[in-house]
Amino acid sequence: MILQQMKEITDAQKKFFYSSQTLDVAFRKKQLAALKQAVKNNLTLLTDALHADLGKSAYESYMCEISLVLEEINYFLKHLSKLARPKKVGTSLAQFPAKCKIVHDPYGVVLIMSPWNYPVQLTLCPLVGAIAGGNCAVVKTSEYSLNVSSALEKVIAEAFVPDYITVVKGGREENTALLECPFDYIFFTGSVAVGKVVMKAASQQLIPVTLELGGKSPCIVDETADLKVTARRIVWGKLINSGQTCVAPDYILVHKSVASQLKQSIAERIKETYPDALHCEYYPHIITQRHFDRLLSLLDGMSVYSGGGYDAETLTIEPTILENVSEESKVMQEEIFGPILPVIEYENLSEAVEFIRKRSKPLALYLFSRDKGVIEYITKNIQFGGGCVNDTVIHLATTHMPFGGVGDSGMGGYHGKESFNTFTRAKSVLNKGRMFDNSLRYPPFTQSKYNTLKKFFK
Ligand code: NAD
């Protein structure tokens, strides 16, 4: 029954796609402008929904969700005409006379599956890329952020006809049915485990995928770091959305000589910004009871440097620093995705590098240092999705750089131009002149032609 419904949606969108309306760049820009308007019209609805689902303040929601969507739309309103223009390229001598060009082809009907933690921007930013690329889209929102799902449903219905873009709400059952439908592209944001389910299902129909996944993102602090600034920026990056951020610094690797000073600076900074976190109107709660229980279980038997309190009624957990953390502890086995920050000490930088390399390639890496040699070495020698030097998280809040993971943290990227590349494919078209035909390519394949051919391609 659900499968039948999902197939009807994809069939209707395929029909819309083959009407060729989306090939027109002016049409795409009009849709982007309509989306921008719908987001603005429903700003309060969206921020209220984010507050209801996650306890996010309107300020944080605007800073970390709405502004990114508007930036992404503005980027394409400004640059789409140029990006979408077919690109003339050279013709090799052997193919002369001909004209060659690369056409940026939309995929067709794309499926965008989004998570609950930044449910507005992680749904709408990929959607902006899909629209800019000239695709139709089915947007599957998360069952854990239901208020936002309903708000997004309204925004999208206000901006678009469903045969072009529509929202599907629901959980696993809907996802499983959608993954059986003949999409032309799948863009998934979520956990590594579900990423594997998505890729496996996509492989059955050879559907290309982008996977935006998670994992443990390390934060290195060396002995040259400015500890006050470091503490301020770590606390900000760790505690927006109460740590439920895919690129939050998951754990700290700090040089032994500055470890106790850093812990103290972080604890002080937490007190300054969240003096009473459990009753703070701008400190979000944990999304579900299951995640709340999972996070508390990570504290079992651990040495708490500061924090550790919680409120089971409101699903809120205090910002918590852990010290003397062993590699084997549970908190170091999985992505934390909450306001718990393990601090691990190292003596030589090579130990920190080894520590990171032994684990899955991280989605993000942060380094706090004033040593140019260290900065150069770490950014060059460790593979990670993206990251910052002397800051956290903000590398993703730009249309100028791609955002994405590597290895277990994902494949492919988006934002700005990278989104356009993700949601289109480069189609090569060679237009051959009729006047001249090089006889070398036609039989009979004589010895003298063979000799000429070898002179051509040596
Ligand atoms: P999730 O993988 O549990 O869920 C994502 C979506 O998959 C949801 O819509 C859910 O309904 C669906 N789903 C769950 N189980 C499924 C199954 N067995 N088969 C098919 N579909 C299924 O992720 P989440 O809990 O919503 O989000 C948290 C994770 O997402 C974290 O790991 C985080 O790091 C990651 N994440 C990554 C990014 C990024 O940009 N790389 C951004 C945000 C979150």
Side-chain angles (χ1 to χ4, degrees), residues 203-221:
S203 75
Q204 295 310 302
Q205 301 185 73
L206 291 176
I207 302 173
V209 293
T210 292
L211 301 177
E212 299 287 342
L213 310 178
K216 292 182 87 62
S217 297
C219 177
I220 304 173
V221 182

Side-chain angles (χ1 to χ4, degrees), residues 113-118 122 140-144 170-176 179 187-195 197-198 211-215 244-247 287 290-291 335 337 363 396 403-405 409-410 414:
M113 300 166 108
S114 58
W116 50 264
N117 62 333
Y118 287 84
L122 293 176
K140 164 61 184 57
T141 53
S142 171
E143 67 274 39
Y144 298 117
R172 218 170 157 142
E173 211 181 341
E174 285 74 13
N175 274 4
T176 308
L179 290 172
F187 188 104
F188 171 80
T189 306
S191 62
V192 176
V194 182
V197 172
V198 169
L211 301 177
E212 299 287 342
L213 310 178
Q244 301 168 107
T245 303
C246 57
V247 288
I287 185 78
R290 186 171 65 85
H291 276 292
E335 180 181 8
F337 225 55
L363 180 59
L396 71 78
F403 172 59
S409 57
Y414 69 128

Side-chain angles (χ1 to χ4, degrees), residues 228-364:
K228 273 242 156 359
V229 175
T230 302
R232 187 161 70 226
R233 293 177 184 172
I234 289 177
V235 168
W236 176 79
K238 182 70 182 181
L239 295 182
I240 45 166
N241 209 21
S242 282
Q244 301 168 107
T245 303
C246 57
V247 288
D250 186 274
Y251 62 94
I252 292 179
L253 288 167
V254 59
H255 191 269
K256 214 174 157 189
S257 63
V258 292
S260 62
Q261 228 181 317
L262 179 72
K263 282 182 281 188
Q264 196 186 335
S265 300
I266 293 178
E268 279 168 12
R269 182 65 190 166
I270 291 170
K271 271 273 163 262
E272 263 167 50
T273 37
Y274 303 93
D276 182 12
L278 297 182
H279 306 97
C280 174
E281 62 190 20
Y282 53 82
Y283 185 65
H285 60 74
I286 304 305
I287 185 78
T288 57
Q289 184 74 45
R290 186 171 65 85
H291 276 292
F292 180 77
D293 295 341
R294 178 187 64 79
L295 284 164
L296 289 187
S297 80
L298 299 182
L299 299 180
D300 280 350
M302 300 303 292
S303 168
V304 172
Y305 176 85
S306 73
Y310 57 87
D311 183 340
E313 283 282 302
T314 56
L315 299 185
T316 313
I317 299 178
E318 264 181 359
T320 301
I321 304 172
L322 300 178
E323 60 179 354
N324 305 320
V325 179
S326 91
E327 274 195 57
E328 289 71 39
S329 55
K330 197 171 164 208
V331 78
M332 290 309 295
Q333 310 308 313
E334 59 184 76
E335 180 181 8
I336 296 172
F337 225 55
I340 299 171
L341 185 59
V343 178
I344 296 173
E345 298 177 21
Y346 70 83
E347 240 177 303
N348 299 307
L349 192 64
S350 59
E351 283 169 42
V353 172
E354 212 32 48
F355 192 94
I356 295 165
R357 282 189 180 151
K358 269 198 296 194
R359 291 169 169 72
S360 298
K361 293 171 188 169
L363 180 59

Side-chain angles (χ1 to χ4, degrees), residues 392-414:
T392 62
V393 176
I394 56 167
H395 63 287
L396 71 78
T398 169
T399 53
H400 298 291
M401 296 197 289
F403 172 59
V406 54
D408 276 5
S409 57
M411 60 184 71
Y414 69 128

